Amino acid sequence: GEDVEQSLFLSVREGDSSVINCTYTDSSSTYLYWYKQEPGAGLQLLTYIFSNMDMKQDQRLTVLLNKKDKHLSLRIADTQTGDSAIYFCAESQGEKLTFGTGTRLTIIP
Amino acid sequence: DTAVSQTPKYLVTQMGNDKSIKCEQNLGHDTMYWYKQDSKKFLKIMFSYNNKELIINETVPNRFSPKSPDKAHLNLHINSLELGDSAVYFCASSRRLDTQYFGPGTRLTVL
């Protein structure tokens, strides 16, 4: 993740909104992704956004993209205990994905 | 109806041994990948194959040799295992330049 940065930790109260932020460096990335990794599990694709979009909403998930600042965010509304996981943003660079360092989301009851 | 599967899920072995990890996808994708996730959860691509041809090789030691017998399979063979090879290895697949779908991972522990 030397090119894609995220905060390592985020704690949120159950029922509140979580906002996970990501900054990337490659302005030519076509797609930007959010993946979720639960403990001991693989990577689950949550959502993605095409680089010519500013926002994408999918149920409780809202992705915002600011291309000028190369900033991507994931908002999870009404955060639940099942949302506890590590969240990775990733940018597509040609054939490969470059991942961020991951943000560990902890839910406070 | 597993999309991307890997075997084994866990692999514990001694330093110096040779081991293989297998990956299969039933999504009809033409591109497959291997990623390594270290103990700090940092994920980095190792290899990518498109239609059985190597298209990405990211400064990985040549002890690691991927093999793609057909479009649906990408295996990873590791020679002379070292302690630093301990990690979780993820396979993924996609249509070329499209969204990647990941397998459940193989946790390799080298003693």
Side-chain angles (χ1 to χ4, degrees):
Chain A
E2 63 268 21
D3 297 326
V4 184
E5 295 185 355
Q6 300 178 237
S7 299
L8 291 179
F9 303 100
L10 176 66
S11 294
V12 172
R13 291 205 175 275
E14 192 174 358
D16 287 352
S17 293
S18 307
V19 179
I20 302 170
N21 294 303
C22 171
T23 55
Y24 61 98
T25 58
D26 187 349
S27 57
S28 66
S29 292
T30 311
Y31 289 96
L32 294 132
Y33 298 87
W34 285 102
Y35 284 87
K36 176 184 180 182
Q37 185 178 30
E38 297 183 42
L43 289 156
Q44 174 195 348
L45 176 67
L46 276 182
T47 186
Y48 62 91
I49 188 166
F50 190 51
S51 58
N52 69 354
M53 297 170 65
D54 297 325
M55 185 182 93
K56 180 179 179 181
Q57 187 148 5
D58 183 1
Q59 300 182 331
R60 291 192 298 123
L61 304 178
T62 304
V63 179
L64 296 178
L65 175 60
N66 180 329
K67 281 195 73 174
K68 175 175 164 290
D69 295 337
K70 298 193 186 73
H71 184 263
L72 180 73
S73 69
L74 174 69
R75 178 176 180 268
I76 306 172
D78 187 26
T79 310
Q80 302 297 309
T81 53
D83 296 325
S84 291
I86 300 175
Y87 291 81
F88 292 93
C89 64
E91 60 175 346
S92 60
Q93 294 177 319
E95 305 284 355
K96 67 179 183 179
L97 289 179
T98 298
F99 283 88
T101 49
T103 300
R104 186 180 296 271
L105 176 62
T106 302
I107 313 306
I108 305 165
Chain B
D1 60 346
T2 305
V4 183
S5 59
Q6 296 178 227
T7 53
K9 189 168 170 63
Y10 300 97
L11 184 53
V12 181
T13 188
Q14 300 283 338
M15 256 194 332
N17 284 351
D18 303 337
K19 290 293 178 186
S20 291
I21 307 171
K22 295 187 176 183
C23 178
E24 177 180 0
Q25 54 95 4
N26 62 5
L27 297 166
H29 290 159
D30 56 4
T31 307
M32 296 184 72
Y33 311 80
W34 279 109
Y35 286 82
K36 179 180 180 181
Q37 186 176 44
D38 64 21
S39 58
K40 294 182 181 175
K41 303 297 185 185
F42 178 52
L43 266 161
K44 192 170 167 62
I45 191 164
M46 300 171 70
F47 300 103
S48 174
Y49 269 73
N50 175 257
N51 284 318
K52 297 167 51 181
E53 286 192 32
L54 181 67
I55 53 173
I56 295 176
N57 183 344
E58 289 277 308
T59 18
V60 178
N62 57 15
R63 297 182 296 104
F64 290 78
S65 51
K67 285 191 173 50
S68 182
D70 55 57
K71 286 198 308 182
H73 296 84
L74 181 63
N75 304 323
L76 183 65
H77 188 75
I78 315 170
N79 287 328
S80 303
L81 277 155
E82 300 177 357
L83 292 176
D85 298 332
S86 294
V88 181
Y89 292 84
F90 286 102
C91 176
S93 75
S94 73
R95 280 192 282 265
R96 192 161 191 182
L97 300 177
D98 204 348
T99 303
Q100 294 182 27
Y101 294 88
F102 283 76
T106 295
R107 182 175 293 276
L108 171 65
T109 304
V110 182
L111 304 174

